[in-house]
């Protein structure tokens, strides 16, 4: 409350506003490791062409940023590469970029 005789100080316009709190880098790297694992796993079943490279990139970023879950990031990296291997096998067998069962 403003009491009589005291004035509110205006905020200096040259002072930047406080930045919003961001997640710590370690938590972001852990999230990337988990996302890499999940995308690599799902990529084995569908959308190999998109999810495989995404898994590889996220795993590399997580490892570079020093994740506390390096095993999960490495597994995401392996699954991403495996996605692309499965895609290459399917393309060479069917001569097409799509799944065909039957």
């Amino acid at each position: 409350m403003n009491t009589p005789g005291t004035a509110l100080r205006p905020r200096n316009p040259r002072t930047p506003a406080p930045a919003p709190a961001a997640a710590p880098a370690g938590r972001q790297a852990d999230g990337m490791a988990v996302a890499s694992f999940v995308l690599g796993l799902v990529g084995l079943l569908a959308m190999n062409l998109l999810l495989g490279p995404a898994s590889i990139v996220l795993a590399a970023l997580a490892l570079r940023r020093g994740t506390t879950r390096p095993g999960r990031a490495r597994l995401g990296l392996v699954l991403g590469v495996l996605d692309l291997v499965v895609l290459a096998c399917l393309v060479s067998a069917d001569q097409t970029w799509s799944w065909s069962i039957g």
Side-chain angles (χ1 to χ4, degrees), residues 37-72:
F37 172 72
V38 171
L39 289 178
L41 199 57
V42 173
L44 287 174
L45 303 174
M47 296 190 300
N48 311 65
L49 186 61
L50 297 175
L51 298 181
S55 177
I56 293 169
V57 168
L58 284 174
L61 285 173
L63 289 170
R64 179 173 288 191
R65 291 185 182 187
T67 181
T68 59
R69 301 176 182 203
R72 191 158 298 160

